[in-house]
Amino acid sequence: MLVETLKHTAGDAPYSTFGTVLQIAKLIGARRATRLFLVVLLFSSVAQGQERYRVPWDKVANETIEHFQALLRIDTTNPPGNETLVAEHLKKILEREGIPAKLLALEPRRANLVARIRGNGSKRPILVMGHTDVVGVQRERWTVDPFGAVRKNGYIYGRGSADDKDNVVAGLMLMLLLKRHNVKLDRDVIFLAEAGEESFAAAGLKYVIERHWNEIDAEFAVAEGGGGSLRDGKAHYVRVGTTEKVGRGARLIARGTAGHGSIPRPDNAVVRLANAVAKLAAWTPPMRLNETTRTYFERLATISHPDAAARYKGIFDAGKRPEIERHFAQHELRHNSMIRTSINPTMLKAGFRSNVVPSEAEAYLDIRALPDEEMENFIERMREVIGDPNVEIKPASWREAARPSRLDTEMFRALEEAQKRVYPEAITLPYMLTGATDMTPLRARGVQAYGIGPLSEEGEYRDSGGAHGDDERILERALHDFVRLQWYAVLDVAASR
Ligand SMILES: [Zn+2]
């Protein structure tokens, strides 16, 4: 059923075109005919584009499930990771089909796998990435074995099924299909199965970038951070991650005089801290859009119910904006975070005895900055908001920032085209993640990196079942569509015309 029957295979159109051109050549002369032939050849191959390769999607689907289940059954809970088990498993599969692959390991148990199919070098490579580690589970909260890869009601259950062994298996299938169909490539296609993403481990992407950059240096990358939404089984939108917020945490340290709990003091550090936290919570940092979020809201408006659409359009209107911002802050929390640098107190530390006023109290603020935020200015603003010289702000666990990936690249357009093929009823939304992935270090090195992934039924993971959740699972059908979408997009940017 999924096999796409093709009107033309690779050779047909050019050959039949060739016959016609010979006839024309007699009429208009050989040189002009050659030019005409080249033009016709170009157009016919563009038109055929990705349909040149007859992929038996039914068989591919079965094979995808087999590989996917095998990956889910390898426990790569991080910590400790043990990603080498997956890396070696993948290496065997790839090498069996003649695709050279190697392990890159800082720590023997935490290997990354990299494989490459070479193109003619006329364009720079594309990197297809997935991470092999998974977060831990609370087994007693699962209804199935989290490492059993159980198939149930159209789903596959397992830790890593949505994050991120779906991207790993899609990358694997892409490599196998490129090789089997002997696809002629303008650019190398590189597959990286990276370790340690969930903890930004030194042995993961960081190590590969620092020590083996030439193995993954690419113009484009695709990896986790995308997805999309199905409504009653029909695709609503496909999300492509083009940028993400940057972790810029801070500690608030309030100081005062220590003393006896029986005597209230005006310089109590706990009170100072509580006031500072409350003032920051009451402050709304300014809203700012970038290319991604602007396009996101514009496009989202076109597929939303009238009320919501009015909000997404109104966000561009200074007069309507304050009310919409208030609505976001109450009801659309993710959108609220997408339009500004956000501050979230997550930890408090103060005191050691119930009858002692401590001299210090501390709060941790999880600050997620817009990619272009000037943090020195931002912290200065925070200082003004707090308005208390006895409360110090100390930057903590700052991550690298990177410019968003652009929407006018060959790769983004290819992803939009692939979406139209696989989900003609949907649209593509460029998206800014509020969390962090390993895309940012790639973007910081000039790679145009895009987050893609399988779609999920709207609202189905509200209670559980999504990435990092109990009963993590994925719709089998969505996984197969994702394999196809990635295949079309990569062919579009990498296959020779
Ligand atoms: Zn992930």
Side-chain angles (χ1 to χ4, degrees), residues 133-385:
D133 61 324
V134 299
V135 293
V137 295
Q138 283 182 286
R139 259 174 205 273
E140 66 280 7
R141 293 179 183 267
W142 282 62
T143 62
V144 295
D145 175 2
F147 299 98
V150 175
R151 296 176 80 176
K152 208 167 75 174
N153 304 329
Y155 286 85
I156 297 190
Y157 286 65
R159 176 56 88 221
S161 59
D163 179 16
D164 181 37
K165 287 177 175 171
D166 47 342
N167 283 73
V168 174
V169 82
L172 173 67
M173 293 312 299
L174 172 74
M175 298 302 272
L176 297 179
L177 291 176
L178 289 173
K179 178 72 181 172
R180 286 175 197 165
H181 292 270
N182 193 24
V183 176
K184 296 284 170 282
L185 297 166
D186 284 346
R187 48 173 109 234
D188 293 4
V189 177
I190 305 166
F191 173 44
L192 175 68
E194 50 151 341
E197 191 274 345
E198 294 292 356
S199 55
F200 303 106
L205 187 64
K206 189 172 165 12
Y207 164 71
V208 179
I209 286 176
E210 282 170 8
R211 303 285 294 278
H212 299 280
W213 177 246
N214 60 327
E215 297 281 356
I216 61 163
D217 186 8
E219 179 175 9
F220 300 125
V222 287
E224 69 177 341
S229 158
L230 298 160
R231 274 187 181 172
D232 305 319
K234 275 190 70 145
H236 189 212
Y237 59 79
V238 171
R239 225 173 44 212
V240 174
T242 50
T243 181
E244 55 196 36
K245 294 181 82 179
V246 193
R248 298 288 201 195
R251 293 190 304 144
L252 286 186
I253 301 160
R255 294 192 176 87
T257 308
H260 198 284
S262 65
I263 304 166
R265 309 187 55 88
D267 62 350
N268 182 315
V270 177
V271 175
R272 282 179 170 160
L273 181 75
N275 282 335
V277 169
K279 281 181 183 166
L280 287 175
W283 176 49
T284 307
M287 165 186 149
R288 194 166 65 249
L289 299 175
N290 55 35
E291 185 192 24
T292 292
T293 47
R294 246 193 321 273
T295 311
Y296 169 82
F297 284 114
E298 280 166 3
R299 293 191 185 179
L300 187 60
T302 67
I303 54 164
S304 297
H305 293 301
D307 278 6
R311 278 196 296 279
Y312 306 145
K313 281 185 220 151
I315 203 79
F316 299 96
D317 181 332
K320 296 179 183 162
R321 197 177 293 153
E323 199 196 319
I324 294 166
E325 288 189 55
R326 275 195 294 278
H327 181 92
F328 279 4
Q330 291 298 319
H331 307 288
E332 299 184 32
L333 308 188
R334 195 173 295 271
H335 286 159
N336 179 44
S337 177
M338 277 170 67
I339 60 177
R340 60 171 48 88
T341 295
S342 53
I343 305 173
N344 229 351
T346 52
M347 292 191 287
L348 292 171
K349 210 164 74 186
F352 56 98
R353 278 185 72 91
S354 59
N355 60 358
V356 176
V357 177
S359 59
E360 258 186 41
E362 197 180 306
Y364 187 85
L365 306 174
D366 187 349
I367 300 175
R368 302 295 173 121
L370 294 174
D372 64 347
E373 191 67 76
E374 307 256 3
M375 281 312 288
E376 274 179 30
N377 293 343
F378 190 83
I379 285 184
E380 195 43 50
R381 288 286 291 123
M382 286 171 62
R383 252 186 221 113
E384 289 166 18
V385 169

